[in-house]
Amino acid sequence: MSVSTAAADQSVCTPLPVLGRDVTVPLVTGGKVTYAALDYAASAPALQRVWDDVAAYAPYYGSVHRGAGYLSQLSTDLFENARRTVAEFLDCRADDQLIFTRSTTDSLNLLAAALPADCQVFVFETEHHACLLPWRDAQVTCLDAPSSPRRAVETLERALAGRDPHGPALVCVTGASNVTGEVWPVRELAAAAHAHGARVVLDAAQLAPHHPVSVRDLDVDWVAFSGHKLYAPFGSGVLAGRADWLRAAEPYLAGGGASRKVSRRADGGVDVDWHETAARHEAGSPNVVGAYAIASACKALTQAGFDTLVARERYLIEKVSQGLAGVPEVRTLSLFGDDAPRVGVLSFVVDGWNSSHFAAALSAEYGIGVRDGLFCAHPLLRTLLGTDPQTQGECGAPEAAPGEKSLNAIRVSFGAGTPDEHVERLVNAVQELVRDGAQWQYRTEDGRCVPAV
């Protein structure tokens, strides 16, 4: 899609109202500017609607599931209705379970604790650490980074070909990279996994805020995502999918709410009859505000229309991509190539610049919030940068001489609440910093690059 075509499409959609859209921040060079929040991939700002819904509910907050009072019953209904709303948003199957967790990381650790004995896990080295690290009690096969979507499917098929199709196996795959924003061939990977008797869990943390996610259409067995990336930053997440492994597993946490009956044995021990529903893995008082916030965000995105949101995001992606491509010193990172479909996440390096220094200058001199570093995806950065990622040295000096390899990267990410001006300011700032250098001096403090006072 050309910029002109995308511009016509995006005109039907203005940015969705988010908290902080009018916040101003000081510049070290003097004055203030409206903050350009371009770190959505870490935590997206709350939709105004989500905040308003939570604020309207707050006076009616009560205990969930175990209270006889009106507010408790209201909160229980709200919590369970939120579960149904999110299940509809994900197009879950009728017999799927949807469990509220703390985050994507928590969801995947819960699933890891529910794996059958001797389960094999297959995961690409390109995954976020939340996908790479939870499988400590399983037989893990880490797959090489693919150079294209087709190569990803071929790599997985080769890895699965020699396994016993009757033994349990799980493939963990991202929907969209948190580093490059590239969209992965989830449906094709799921088909390959199922053909070899393996199940699939989809990390939709970066996909769900940008594209519709259908459990049925993608034919995945589980999906996990976080509220704080879906414009609902109230400390909640979701794991949704097949119930059998979850029912058979020991409760993720032992405590009230997960148990149906507890009795003391004659020998002094305790017998427990655990729930077989989602409550089995939701011990303790649940985060009803977080669950309600996620449901509110799901409704808001659905009503805004993903077709419209996606069209506008493509326009913003083109703006950033073409702007960065016009700066010879900038290299955008990609596995599948610059033309690969992606969500609003791009990472890049600047020749001769320390990434922490560059990001600090964007913030202090232009009021632009981005992220620099390794983005909890060290093996992927090693592949993309062609070097071993590591902590950088003093931020006031370039990390590498021109032509040498960078040690980490800068990430810009945006979404449904991003106005045009924010990405235009970013492109202009990158061009000015590369051409003229930083206007301020910077130093390292507690491992971060900050303006020198």
Side-chain angles (χ1 to χ4, degrees):
M1 179 182 290
S2 67
V3 172
S4 59
T5 302
D9 290 343
Q10 69 89 28
S11 64
V12 301
C13 174
T14 57
L16 298 185
V18 295
L19 293 184
R21 59 190 179 276
D22 298 322
V23 167
T24 60
V25 294
L27 303 180
V28 293
T29 51
K32 291 185 177 182
V33 67
T34 303
Y35 183 64
L38 296 178
D39 194 16
Y40 275 46
S43 285
L47 288 172
Q48 184 68 53
R49 168 173 168 170
V50 171
W51 187 263
D52 291 344
D53 283 349
V54 169
Y57 160 65
Y60 302 92
Y61 172 81
S63 62
V64 176
H65 290 149
R66 292 175 287 280
Y70 178 80
L71 297 192
S72 292
Q73 294 179 41
L74 179 68
S75 294
T76 298
D77 286 345
L78 183 142
F79 183 69
E80 294 303 333
N81 283 331
R83 196 190 306 276
R84 286 187 284 272
T85 297
V86 179
E88 291 173 3
F89 178 78
L90 295 172
D91 192 23
C92 289
R93 297 164 291 252
D95 55 350
D96 284 340
Q97 282 189 358
L98 190 143
I99 300 168
F100 285 115
T101 65
R102 293 179 297 175
S103 60
T104 307
T105 300
D106 196 37
S107 296
L108 293 173
N109 275 271
L110 190 164
L111 184 60
L115 295 181
D118 300 321
C119 186
Q120 293 179 278
V121 174
F122 297 84
V123 58
F124 286 92
E125 68 172 0
T126 49
E127 296 289 338
H128 188 280
H129 292 172
C131 297
L132 280 174
L133 304 182
W135 322 106
R136 287 168 292 185
D137 296 327
Q139 306 170 39
V140 179
T141 299
C142 195
L143 308 177
D144 292 340
S147 58
S148 70
R150 180 176 61 85
R151 292 287 188 188
V153 177
E154 292 172 351
T155 298
L156 179 61
E157 288 178 331
R158 284 196 301 270
L160 293 172
R163 68 171 296 273
D164 178 4
H166 302 294
L170 179 71
V171 176
C172 183
V173 64
T174 189
S177 171
N178 77 302
V179 176
T180 68
E182 292 165 312
V183 178
W184 277 61
V186 177
R187 187 181 295 104
E188 292 80 2
L189 289 166
H194 292 157
H196 292 277
R199 295 189 178 190
V200 177
V201 58
L202 168 64
D203 170 8
Q206 299 296 341
L207 186 63
H210 304 274
H211 285 272
V213 174
S214 169
V215 170
R216 295 175 196 262
D217 181 54
L218 296 173
D219 196 23
V220 294
D221 299 279
W222 293 277
V223 61
F225 71 89
S226 296
H228 72 98
K229 299 183 193 296
L230 195 80
Y231 312 102
F234 293 91
S236 192
V238 168
L239 176 68
R242 303 200 181 277
D244 53 349
W245 286 8
L246 299 173
R247 283 200 205 101
E250 288 294 309
Y252 185 49
L253 297 174
S259 56
R260 287 187 295 198
K261 180 181 178 182
V262 178
S263 57
R264 185 178 180 185
R265 299 195 304 264
D267 62 3
V270 174
D271 286 327
V272 185
D273 180 18
W274 301 106
H275 279 293
E276 294 188 353
T277 63
R280 184 183 188 89
H281 299 291
E282 291 179 344
S285 295
N287 181 359
V288 60
V289 170
Y292 183 43
I294 289 180
S296 174
C298 290
K299 289 180 180 179
L301 293 174
T302 300
Q303 291 172 6
F306 269 109
D307 288 346
T308 304
L309 295 173
V310 168
R312 185 171 190 283
E313 187 171 296
R314 285 175 179 164
Y315 161 74
L316 295 178
I317 292 169
E318 289 284 349
K319 253 185 181 308
V320 176
S321 298
Q322 292 188 10
L324 295 181
V327 184
E329 293 83 355
V330 171
R331 177 168 69 92
T332 301
L333 304 180
S334 174
L335 277 175
F336 301 156
D338 293 338
D339 295 330
R342 61 169 16 116
V343 299
V345 179
L346 298 94
S347 294
F348 61 94
V349 294
V350 183
D351 194 22
W353 276 82
N354 176 302
S355 294
S356 180
H357 184 195
F358 200 91
L362 287 175
S363 175
E365 300 177 28
Y366 297 91
I368 299 171
V370 298
R371 178 155 295 222
D372 66 278
L374 307 176
F375 320 126
C376 294
H378 297 184
L380 173 55
L381 265 295
R382 181 179 295 111
T383 295
L384 293 171
L385 298 177
T387 188
D388 187 19
Q390 55 186 280
T391 302
Q392 300 186 104
E394 293 296 315
C395 69
E399 65 167 32
E404 292 185 357
K405 294 177 179 178
S406 299
L407 300 178
N408 58 26
I410 303 152
R411 184 181 71 190
V412 54
S413 52
F414 42 87
T418 305
D420 292 18
E421 190 275 330
H422 289 185
V423 299
E424 291 165 355
R425 195 193 315 173
L426 170 79
V427 171
N428 292 335
V430 170
Q431 293 170 346
E432 288 184 7
L433 284 172
V434 171
R435 183 184 67 239
D436 304 329
Q439 300 180 55
W440 206 258
Q441 294 296 315
Y442 295 82
R443 61 187 174 85
T444 301
E445 181 179 292
D446 297 327
R448 294 296 306 162
C449 189
V450 298
V453 178

